[in-house]
Amino acid sequence: MYCNYKYYSMNSGRFAISVHILTLLAFADDEWNSSEYLAGSININPVLVRKELSNLRDHGLVISKEGKAGGSRLAKPSGQIFMSEVYEAVKQIDLLGKGINSPNPDCVVGRKINDHLDNLYDDAEKTLLLGLSKTSLADFCLKFA
């Protein structure tokens, strides 16, 4: 079960990489899977997989065991892992970003634009999280049947 995904980057692809890892682990049931195996499916360096596994472990989504017979597996049943948890685990910056400019405070738009944009961004992220919270890893895995 190997796929060829060529253009994952750590900045824009962490959610996709983590979902890929978790999906592979869900299909593996209780077997321990090496980072090399997982990296082969994602077609990225195993070091990047280990970095994501560490993060997923920190968020209680996977457990890992060192050694020759080691690897990683899900920390709980796939039906109890929701896409919103994965998003929260990998989120580094706000969904749409934050305003980095300093608008003119004397302008009727400039003095309030960042406040209104922040509210818009917060609402959009809440909507995204609500949608992701409706899909479990088990539900996602059904798409591969």
Side-chain angles (χ1 to χ4, degrees), residues 48-66:
L48 298 176
V49 170
R50 286 191 284 276
K51 187 174 186 175
E52 289 308 312
L53 284 168
S54 176
N55 182 54
L56 294 170
R57 190 172 45 253
D58 290 345
H59 285 86
L61 300 174
V62 301
I63 55 176
S64 298
K65 178 172 85 168
E66 292 185 22

Side-chain angles (χ1 to χ4, degrees), residues 67-134:
K68 189 174 181 176
S72 297
R73 65 182 188 193
L74 297 179
K76 53 188 174 180
S78 61
Q80 294 176 14
I81 297 173
F82 291 87
M83 292 296 137
S84 55
E85 292 177 87
V86 181
Y87 174 80
E88 290 284 3
V90 301
K91 177 183 160 185
Q92 290 185 312
I93 58 172
D94 294 307
L95 176 65
L96 297 174
K98 293 285 183 184
I100 57 172
N101 60 343
S102 299
N104 183 346
D106 295 328
C107 172
V108 68
V109 173
R111 89 182 70 143
K112 287 297 212 176
I113 188 73
N114 285 336
D115 292 337
H116 295 312
L117 284 172
D118 286 346
N119 291 334
L120 183 67
Y121 297 161
D122 289 344
D123 290 346
E125 190 160 43
K126 286 176 189 171
T127 300
L128 172 67
L129 284 168
L130 180 63
L132 291 174
S133 71
K134 295 177 182 177

Side-chain angles (χ1 to χ4, degrees), residues 6-20:
K6 297 179 182 177
Y7 300 109
Y8 281 128
S9 74
M10 288 310 290
N11 291 334
S12 64
R14 290 189 68 201
F15 180 77
I17 290 169
S18 292
V19 170
H20 196 142

